[in-house]
């Protein structure tokens, strides 16, 4: 049944194929950048495995990650010719209550599958990471990895040395519950130009919910604040990224645009546009980016976004449907409870 979804996906590619490198404007970087929450450790095969791995039942049951689903995810990315993709939910660091979650069990199968298709993994140094102020180890908040087309880009400089990259710890992080964002400087091989990709996965809780530390907060405000801090860190506070063109991509966990209480508003306040809003062309704009394991795929707002500096040319934007079937099960038809979102952006160097 997945074959039909593959054929339908192939039909979309020519409409949004990236411009050849020769057509790039001087002083710009053309890149198709996407965000894909792949539900690696969040969509497991059975209730028992869900409870053993993440401490609760999974809302959506999907086939085993390492036994084929990671490969399907990689194939979808490659089929749509992404230059760079920020992924989320590639496992997690072990926590006292979720000892079965191992980021390597989820990262490694996807990385191998991506490498077979010509992609490389940008560094994300989760192992051994400790909070820069408090010193406690990273217990959760891992699972964000960025991959790139290795023919066009590199995370190393011309001499083979790693370009700057790091984790950004967010203020709500504690020894029990950690929130981080990852950022990488990438180099375009053809021109040597450098740009920054930031991979975000914001707080998922709804207002009134309690986190693992027993705190109940205005989580809409937390999302706004965390996005604001991430933007400030990359564009102002971090010398290695300050002044470089930057793309923010990830799962914002809210479709809200509320003033002072949404990631979309945080980026707008900081001078960044939602790529969807300024794109010249759109594909499958009617679909929600979070499909929730529902067939047919639901329509509605987007929680997965690509943000670019105001004034950046966005030639095209698309949601890639996990399936176009109107009946069937998530197990048969879906690779994730999110749809891949991507945008063709022209960054100014």
């Amino acid at each position: 049944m997945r074959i039909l979804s593959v054929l339908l996906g192939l039909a979309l590619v020519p409409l949004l194929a990236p411009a050849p490198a020769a057509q790039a404007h001087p002083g710009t970087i053309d890149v198709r950048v996407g965000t894909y929450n792949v539900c690696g450790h969040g969509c497991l095969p059975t209730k028992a495995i869900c409870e053993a791995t993440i401490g609760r039942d999974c809302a959506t049951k999907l086939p085993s990650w390492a036994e084929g689903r990671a490969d399907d995810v990689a194939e979808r990315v490659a089929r749509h010719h992404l230059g760079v993709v920020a992924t989320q939910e590639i496992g997690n660091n072990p926590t006292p209550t979720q000892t079965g979650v191992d980021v390597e069990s989820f990262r490694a199968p996807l990385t191998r599958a991506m490498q077979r298709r010509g992609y490389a993994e940008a560094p994300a140094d989760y192992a051994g990471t400790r909070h820069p102020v408090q010193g406690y180890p990273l217990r959760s908040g891992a699972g964000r990895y960025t991959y790139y087309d290795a023919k066009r880009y590199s995370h190393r400089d011309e001499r083979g040395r790693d370009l700057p990259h790091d984790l950004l710890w967010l203020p709500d992080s504690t020894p029990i519950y950690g929130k981080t964002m990852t950022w990488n400087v990438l180099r375009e091989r053809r021109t040597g130009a450098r740009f920054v990709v930031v991979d975000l996965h914001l707080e998922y809780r709804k207002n009134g919910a309690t986190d693992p530390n027993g705190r109940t907060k205005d989580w809409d405000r937390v999302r706004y604040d965390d996005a604001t801090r991430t933007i400030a860190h990359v564009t102002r506070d971090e010398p290695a990224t300050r002044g470089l063109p930057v793309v923010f991509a990830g799962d914002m966990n809210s479709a809200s645009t509320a003033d002072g209480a949404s990631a979309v508003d945080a980026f707008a306040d900081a001078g960044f546009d939602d790529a969807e809003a300024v794109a010249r062309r759109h594909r499958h704009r009617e679909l929600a980016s979070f499909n929730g394991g529902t067939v047919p795929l639901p329509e509605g707002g987007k929680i997965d976004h690509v943000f670019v500096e105001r004034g950046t040319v966005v030639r095209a934007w698309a949601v890639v449907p996990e399936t176009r079937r109107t009946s069937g099960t998530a197990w048969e038809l879906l690779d994730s409870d999110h749809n891949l979102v991507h945008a063709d952006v022209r960054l100014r160097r």
Side-chain angles (χ1 to χ4, degrees):
M1 291 188 181
R2 291 174 182 262
I3 294 175
L4 180 59
S5 297
V6 168
L7 292 174
L8 286 166
L10 284 170
L12 305 181
V13 173
L15 294 175
L16 291 173
Q23 295 179 7
H25 289 197
T28 64
I29 308 167
D30 284 340
V31 56
R32 174 170 288 181
V33 59
T35 178
Y36 200 3
N37 182 327
V38 299
C39 204
H41 70 278
C43 296
L44 298 167
T46 68
K47 183 175 186 291
I49 294 174
C50 291
E51 291 177 344
T53 303
I54 63 174
R56 56 179 171 79
D57 195 9
C58 307
T60 301
K61 306 293 194 304
L62 294 178
S64 171
W65 176 252
E67 295 173 8
R69 188 158 63 88
D71 202 66
D72 291 340
V73 163
E75 180 60 27
R76 189 182 304 276
V77 170
R79 193 168 66 241
H80 289 271
H81 307 292
L82 269 71
V84 179
V85 60
T87 67
Q88 302 88 40
E89 292 198 17
I90 309 296
N92 215 332
N93 282 30
T95 68
T97 58
Q98 299 176 15
T99 55
V101 180
D102 176 8
V103 69
E104 284 301 295
S105 299
F106 296 91
R107 182 203 63 82
L110 181 60
T111 295
R112 288 193 296 266
M114 294 291 284
Q115 288 173 340
R116 288 194 293 270
R117 291 161 175 83
Y119 287 81
E121 176 193 294
D125 300 330
Y126 289 114
T129 298
R130 291 185 172 273
H131 191 279
V133 177
Q134 304 299 330
Y136 51 75
L138 180 62
R139 293 291 187 185
S140 64
R144 283 172 280 284
Y145 284 87
T146 295
Y147 296 88
Y148 60 86
D149 180 346
K151 290 183 179 179
R152 297 180 61 195
Y153 310 105
S154 178
H155 70 266
R156 296 187 174 94
D157 67 14
E158 292 81 355
R159 296 173 60 184
R161 300 169 300 188
D162 277 3
L163 291 169
H165 61 277
D166 205 354
L167 303 176
L168 170 63
W169 288 78
L170 295 169
D172 281 328
S173 294
T174 71
I176 297 176
Y177 182 63
K179 268 294 185 185
T180 63
M181 308 304 160
T182 63
W183 59 262
N184 291 88
V185 176
L186 298 180
R187 174 176 60 89
E188 186 181 47
R189 291 182 181 274
R190 184 178 63 86
T191 64
R194 300 179 183 187
F195 62 101
V196 185
V197 178
V198 183
D199 189 349
L200 303 92
H201 192 183
L202 298 182
E203 175 59 56
Y204 72 88
R205 290 176 174 81
K206 297 183 183 299
N207 284 349
T210 301
D211 76 1
N213 298 287
R215 301 173 301 183
T216 302
K217 295 192 173 187
D218 179 347
W219 298 112
D220 287 333
R221 181 70 196 191
V222 168
R223 279 183 279 272
Y224 177 91
D225 290 343
D226 284 350
T228 299
R229 291 182 181 105
T230 301
I231 299 163
H233 178 83
V234 173
T235 62
R236 184 193 67 197
D237 301 336
E238 172 54 57
T241 55
R242 189 187 308 133
L244 291 176
V246 58
V247 180
F248 296 87
D251 177 1
M252 307 303 153
N253 267 315
S254 172
S256 172
T257 60
D259 185 20
S262 67
V264 171
D265 187 58
F267 279 95
D269 287 348
F272 286 80
D273 286 328
D274 182 349
E276 177 194 4
V278 298
R280 295 173 176 175
R281 293 180 293 145
H282 300 86
R283 188 71 172 172
H284 296 297
R285 195 177 192 178
E286 76 282 359
L287 292 177
S289 66
F290 174 67
N291 64 57
T294 302
V295 179
L297 300 179
E299 299 183 355
K302 314 297 184 290
I303 68 174
D304 302 274
H305 292 270
V306 175
F307 294 103
V308 293
E309 186 179 1
R310 190 159 297 145
T312 299
V313 172
V314 181
R315 293 178 293 121
W317 174 97
V319 171
V320 178
E322 289 282 300
T323 183
R324 296 307 291 161
R325 293 282 298 273
T326 59
S327 63
T329 67
W331 181 280
E332 297 173 297
L333 300 174
L334 307 184
D335 297 321
S336 175
D337 60 355
H338 288 243
N339 300 313
L340 169 64
V341 171
H342 65 73
D344 292 353
V345 304
R346 177 163 286 165
L347 303 175
R348 293 172 293 190
R349 293 195 265 144

